[in-house]
Amino acid sequence: ANPRFMLSSCSAACGRCDSKGKACARRNKEPAVHAPGGLRSNFASIAAGWAEYSPTLLSSEPYVVQFEGLISPAEAERMVELAGEKLERSLAGDQLSPVRTSTQYWCGDEDGCTRDPTIDAVTKRMTRIAGVPEENAEYFQILKYEPGQFYRRHHDQNTAVWTPQGPRVLTFFMYLNEVDSGGET
C-alpha cells in the first residue's frame, strides 16, 4: 500500500475529505450527464441546433464541432484582460515539460475571475450548448502562445472522479484572436 498516494488521490474512499475542503465535495448530486452512448445523440443535437453559432460538424470520430461567433470580440478581449499579467508557464499534467511551452492562467474563485460577468455569460452559453450543468464545467484555462511555442501531441489529463466537475468528457476551444498561420490543435 502507498499511504501518501491513497490520502492524496483517494480522499473520499479513505475518509480524508475533511482535510481537502471543497476538493472532495461534488456540488452536483445528479447522476451522470451522459449515459454510455449518450454523447452521440448529444452531438447530433448540437450539430443540428444552435443556428446562431453556425455549427459545422468537422468529424464524428472523434466528434468535433466548429462554431462561429460563439464569443464576441468584446468577450474575447475581456478574457485576455483577465489573464493579463497572471500568465505563468504552462504545465503538462502537474509539472513543467518540454512538450508544452505556452503560458497559462486558470480563471478561479480566489481572484474573482469566475464571478466576472463575461466569464459567467460564456460559461452559461457553453454549458447550454453542451447540455451539461454548470457545476460540471471546469474553470477556464486561458493560454497564450508566442511565435514558436507549442503543445505537442498528447493525451489529455483526465480530472479525477472525486473533483467537483468529475472526469472531462467534453472540451471547448475558443480562439481569442486571429492568427495568420498555426494555431492548430
Side-chain angles (χ1 to χ4, degrees), residues 64-107:
V64 178
V65 179
Q66 178 178 309
F67 298 98
E68 298 295 333
L70 183 65
I71 59 174
S72 71
E75 289 171 326
E77 187 176 314
R78 178 63 181 149
M79 293 175 89
V80 169
E81 181 183 306
L82 285 166
E85 300 299 316
K86 301 172 194 157
L87 293 161
E88 298 177 351
R89 172 74 192 271
S90 296
L91 302 178
D94 296 328
Q95 60 190 1
L96 288 176
S97 170
V99 303
R100 188 176 194 188
T101 60
S102 60
T103 54
Q104 70 183 21
Y105 163 67
W106 282 99
C107 177

Coordinates of all heavy atoms in Angstrom, one line a residue, residues 64-107:
V64 N -16.1 16.5 -33.5 CA -15.5 17.9 -33.4 C -16.5 18.8 -34.1 O -16.9 18.5 -35.3 CB -14.1 18.0 -34.2 CG1 -13.6 19.4 -34.2 CG2 -13.1 17.0 -33.5
V65 N -17.0 19.8 -33.4 CA -18.0 20.7 -34.0 C -17.3 22.1 -33.9 O -16.8 22.5 -32.9 CB -19.3 20.7 -33.2 CG1 -20.3 21.8 -33.8 CG2 -19.9 19.4 -33.2
Q66 N -17.4 22.8 -35.0 CA -16.9 24.2 -35.0 C -18.0 25.2 -35.0 O -19.1 25.0 -35.7 CB -16.1 24.4 -36.3 CG -15.6 25.8 -36.5 CD -14.8 26.0 -37.8 OE1 -13.9 25.2 -38.0 NE2 -15.1 27.0 -38.6
F67 N -17.9 26.2 -34.2 CA -18.9 27.3 -34.1 C -18.3 28.6 -34.5 O -17.1 28.8 -34.3 CB -19.4 27.5 -32.6 CG -20.0 26.2 -32.0 CD1 -19.3 25.4 -31.2 CD2 -21.4 26.0 -32.2 CE1 -19.9 24.2 -30.7 CE2 -22.0 24.8 -31.7 CZ -21.2 24.0 -30.9
E68 N -19.1 29.4 -35.1 CA -18.7 30.8 -35.5 C -19.4 31.8 -34.6 O -20.6 31.6 -34.3 CB -19.0 31.1 -36.9 CG -18.4 30.2 -37.9 CD -16.8 30.4 -38.0 OE1 -16.4 31.5 -37.6 OE2 -16.2 29.4 -38.3
G69 N -18.7 32.7 -34.1 CA -19.3 33.8 -33.2 C -19.8 33.3 -31.9 O -20.7 33.9 -31.3
L70 N -19.2 32.2 -31.4 CA -19.6 31.7 -30.0 C -19.3 32.8 -29.0 O -20.1 32.9 -28.0 CB -18.9 30.4 -29.7 CG -19.3 29.7 -28.4 CD1 -20.8 29.3 -28.5 CD2 -18.4 28.6 -28.2
I71 N -18.2 33.5 -29.1 CA -17.9 34.6 -28.2 C -17.7 35.8 -29.0 O -17.3 35.8 -30.2 CB -16.7 34.3 -27.3 CG1 -15.4 34.1 -28.1 CG2 -17.0 33.2 -26.4 CD1 -14.2 33.9 -27.3
S72 N -18.1 37.0 -28.5 CA -17.9 38.2 -29.2 C -16.5 38.7 -29.1 O -15.8 38.3 -28.2 CB -18.9 39.3 -28.6 OG -18.5 39.6 -27.3
P73 N -16.1 39.7 -29.9 CA -14.8 40.3 -29.8 C -14.6 40.9 -28.4 O -13.5 40.8 -27.8 CB -14.8 41.3 -30.9 CG -15.7 40.8 -32.0 CD -16.8 40.1 -31.2
A74 N -15.7 41.5 -27.9 CA -15.6 42.2 -26.5 C -15.3 41.1 -25.5 O -14.6 41.3 -24.5 CB -16.8 43.0 -26.2
E75 N -16.0 39.9 -25.6 CA -15.8 38.9 -24.6 C -14.4 38.3 -24.7 O -13.7 38.0 -23.7 CB -16.8 37.7 -24.8 CG -18.2 38.1 -24.4 CD -19.3 37.1 -24.8 OE1 -19.2 36.5 -25.9 OE2 -20.3 37.0 -24.1
A76 N -13.9 38.1 -25.9 CA -12.5 37.7 -26.1 C -11.5 38.6 -25.5 O -10.6 38.2 -24.8 CB -12.2 37.4 -27.6
E77 N -11.7 39.9 -25.7 CA -10.9 40.9 -25.2 C -10.9 40.9 -23.6 O -9.8 41.0 -23.0 CB -11.3 42.3 -25.7 CG -10.4 43.4 -25.3 CD -10.8 44.8 -25.9 OE1 -11.2 44.8 -27.1 OE2 -10.9 45.8 -25.2
R78 N -12.1 40.7 -23.1 CA -12.2 40.7 -21.6 C -11.4 39.4 -21.0 O -10.8 39.5 -20.0 CB -13.6 40.6 -21.2 CG -13.9 40.5 -19.7 CD -13.3 41.7 -19.0 NE -13.5 41.6 -17.5 CZ -12.7 42.1 -16.6 NH1 -11.6 42.8 -16.9 NH2 -13.0 41.9 -15.3
M79 N -11.5 38.3 -21.7 CA -10.8 37.1 -21.3 C -9.3 37.3 -21.3 O -8.6 36.9 -20.3 CB -11.2 35.9 -22.1 CG -12.7 35.5 -21.8 SD -13.3 34.2 -22.9 CE -12.9 32.8 -21.8
V80 N -8.8 37.9 -22.3 CA -7.4 38.3 -22.4 C -7.0 39.2 -21.3 O -6.0 39.1 -20.6 CB -7.0 38.8 -23.8 CG1 -5.6 39.4 -23.8 CG2 -7.2 37.8 -24.9
E81 N -7.8 40.2 -21.1 CA -7.6 41.2 -20.0 C -7.6 40.5 -18.6 O -6.7 40.8 -17.8 CB -8.7 42.2 -20.0 CG -8.6 43.3 -19.0 CD -9.8 44.3 -19.1 OE1 -10.1 44.8 -20.2 OE2 -10.5 44.5 -18.1
L82 N -8.5 39.6 -18.4 CA -8.5 38.9 -17.1 C -7.2 38.1 -16.8 O -6.7 38.0 -15.7 CB -9.7 37.9 -17.0 CG -11.0 38.6 -16.8 CD1 -12.2 37.6 -17.1 CD2 -11.1 39.2 -15.4
A83 N -6.7 37.5 -17.9 CA -5.4 36.7 -17.7 C -4.3 37.7 -17.5 O -3.4 37.4 -16.7 CB -5.2 35.9 -19.0
G84 N -4.3 38.8 -18.2 CA -3.3 39.9 -18.1 C -1.9 39.4 -17.7 O -1.3 38.6 -18.4
E85 N -1.4 40.0 -16.5 CA -0.1 39.7 -16.0 C 0.0 38.4 -15.2 O 1.0 38.1 -14.6 CB 0.4 40.9 -15.2 CG 0.5 42.2 -16.0 CD 1.5 42.1 -17.2 OE1 2.6 41.5 -17.0 OE2 1.1 42.5 -18.3
K86 N -1.2 37.7 -15.1 CA -1.2 36.5 -14.3 C -0.8 35.2 -15.0 O -0.8 34.1 -14.4 CB -2.6 36.3 -13.8 CG -3.2 37.4 -13.0 CD -4.6 37.3 -12.7 CE -5.2 38.6 -12.2 NZ -6.6 38.6 -12.4
L87 N -0.4 35.3 -16.3 CA 0.1 34.2 -17.0 C 1.4 33.6 -16.4 O 2.3 34.3 -16.1 CB 0.3 34.6 -18.5 CG -1.0 35.0 -19.3 CD1 -0.6 35.8 -20.5 CD2 -1.8 33.7 -19.6
E88 N 1.4 32.3 -16.3 CA 2.6 31.6 -15.9 C 2.9 30.5 -16.8 O 2.0 30.0 -17.6 CB 2.3 31.0 -14.5 CG 2.0 32.0 -13.4 CD 1.7 31.4 -12.1 OE1 1.5 30.1 -12.0 OE2 1.6 32.1 -11.1
R89 N 4.1 29.9 -16.8 CA 4.5 28.8 -17.7 C 3.5 27.7 -17.5 O 3.2 27.3 -16.4 CB 5.9 28.4 -17.3 CG 6.4 27.1 -18.0 CD 6.7 27.4 -19.5 NE 6.9 26.1 -20.1 CZ 8.0 25.4 -20.2 NH1 9.1 25.9 -19.7 NH2 8.1 24.3 -20.9
S90 N 3.0 27.2 -18.7 CA 2.1 26.1 -18.7 C 2.7 24.8 -18.2 O 3.9 24.6 -18.4 CB 1.6 25.9 -20.1 OG 0.9 27.0 -20.6
L91 N 1.9 24.0 -17.5 CA 2.3 22.7 -17.1 C 1.7 21.7 -18.0 O 0.6 21.9 -18.6 CB 1.8 22.5 -15.6 CG 2.3 23.5 -14.6 CD1 1.6 23.2 -13.2 CD2 3.8 23.5 -14.5
A92 N 2.3 20.5 -18.1 CA 1.8 19.4 -18.7 C 1.5 18.4 -17.6 O 2.4 17.9 -17.0 CB 2.7 18.8 -19.8
G93 N 0.2 18.1 -17.3 CA -0.1 17.4 -16.1 C 0.1 18.3 -14.9 O -0.3 19.4 -14.9
D94 N 1.0 17.9 -14.0 CA 1.3 18.8 -12.8 C 2.7 19.2 -12.8 O 3.2 19.6 -11.8 CB 1.0 18.0 -11.6 CG -0.5 17.6 -11.4 OD1 -1.3 18.4 -11.9 OD2 -0.8 16.6 -10.9
Q95 N 3.4 19.2 -14.0 CA 4.8 19.6 -14.0 C 5.2 20.3 -15.3 O 4.5 20.2 -16.3 CB 5.6 18.3 -13.9 CG 5.4 17.3 -15.0 CD 6.1 16.0 -14.7 OE1 6.7 15.8 -13.6 NE2 6.0 15.0 -15.6
L96 N 6.3 21.0 -15.2 CA 6.9 21.6 -16.4 C 7.4 20.5 -17.3 O 7.9 19.5 -16.8 CB 8.1 22.5 -16.0 CG 7.8 23.8 -15.3 CD1 9.0 24.6 -14.9 CD2 6.9 24.7 -16.1
S97 N 7.2 20.8 -18.6 CA 7.6 19.7 -19.5 C 7.9 20.4 -20.9 O 7.3 21.4 -21.3 CB 6.4 18.8 -19.8 OG 6.7 17.9 -20.8
P98 N 8.9 19.9 -21.6 CA 9.3 20.4 -22.9 C 8.2 20.2 -23.9 O 8.4 20.7 -25.0 CB 10.6 19.7 -23.2 CG 10.6 18.4 -22.4 CD 9.8 18.7 -21.2
V99 N 7.2 19.4 -23.7 CA 6.1 19.2 -24.7 C 5.2 20.4 -24.7 O 4.4 20.4 -25.6 CB 5.4 17.9 -24.4 CG1 6.3 16.7 -24.4 CG2 4.5 17.9 -23.2
R100 N 5.2 21.3 -23.7 CA 4.3 22.4 -23.7 C 5.1 23.6 -23.3 O 5.6 23.7 -22.2 CB 3.2 22.1 -22.6 CG 2.1 23.1 -22.6 CD 1.0 22.7 -21.7 NE -0.2 23.5 -21.9 CZ -1.3 23.4 -21.1 NH1 -1.3 22.7 -20.0 NH2 -2.3 24.2 -21.4
T101 N 5.0 24.6 -24.1 CA 5.9 25.8 -23.9 C 5.1 27.1 -23.7 O 5.7 28.2 -23.6 CB 6.9 26.0 -25.0 OG1 6.2 26.1 -26.3 CG2 7.8 24.8 -25.1
S102 N 3.8 27.0 -23.8 CA 2.9 28.2 -23.7 C 2.9 28.8 -22.2 O 3.5 28.2 -21.3 CB 1.5 27.9 -24.1 OG 1.0 26.9 -23.2
T103 N 2.2 29.9 -22.0 CA 1.9 30.4 -20.7 C 0.4 30.2 -20.5 O -0.4 30.2 -21.5 CB 2.3 31.8 -20.5 OG1 1.8 32.7 -21.5 CG2 3.8 32.0 -20.5
Q104 N -0.1 30.2 -19.2 CA -1.5 29.9 -18.9 C -1.9 30.6 -17.7 O -1.1 31.0 -16.8 CB -1.7 28.4 -18.7 CG -1.1 27.9 -17.5 CD -1.3 26.4 -17.3 OE1 -1.5 25.7 -18.3 NE2 -1.2 25.9 -16.1
Y105 N -3.2 30.8 -17.6 CA -3.9 31.4 -16.4 C -5.1 30.6 -16.2 O -5.9 30.4 -17.1 CB -4.2 32.8 -16.6 CG -5.2 33.4 -15.7 CD1 -4.9 33.5 -14.3 CD2 -6.5 33.8 -16.1 CE1 -5.9 34.0 -13.4 CE2 -7.4 34.3 -15.2 CZ -7.1 34.4 -13.9 OH -8.0 34.9 -13.0
W106 N -5.3 30.0 -15.0 CA -6.5 29.4 -14.6 C -7.5 30.4 -14.0 O -7.1 31.0 -12.9 CB -6.3 28.3 -13.6 CG -5.7 27.0 -14.2 CD1 -4.4 26.6 -14.2 CD2 -6.5 26.0 -14.8 NE1 -4.3 25.4 -14.9 CE2 -5.6 25.0 -15.3 CE3 -7.8 25.8 -15.1 CZ2 -6.0 23.9 -15.9 CZ3 -8.2 24.7 -15.8 CH2 -7.3 23.7 -16.2
C107 N -8.6 30.6 -14.6 CA -9.6 31.5 -14.1 C -10.3 30.9 -12.9 O -10.9 29.8 -13.0 CB -10.6 31.8 -15.2 SG -12.0 32.8 -14.7

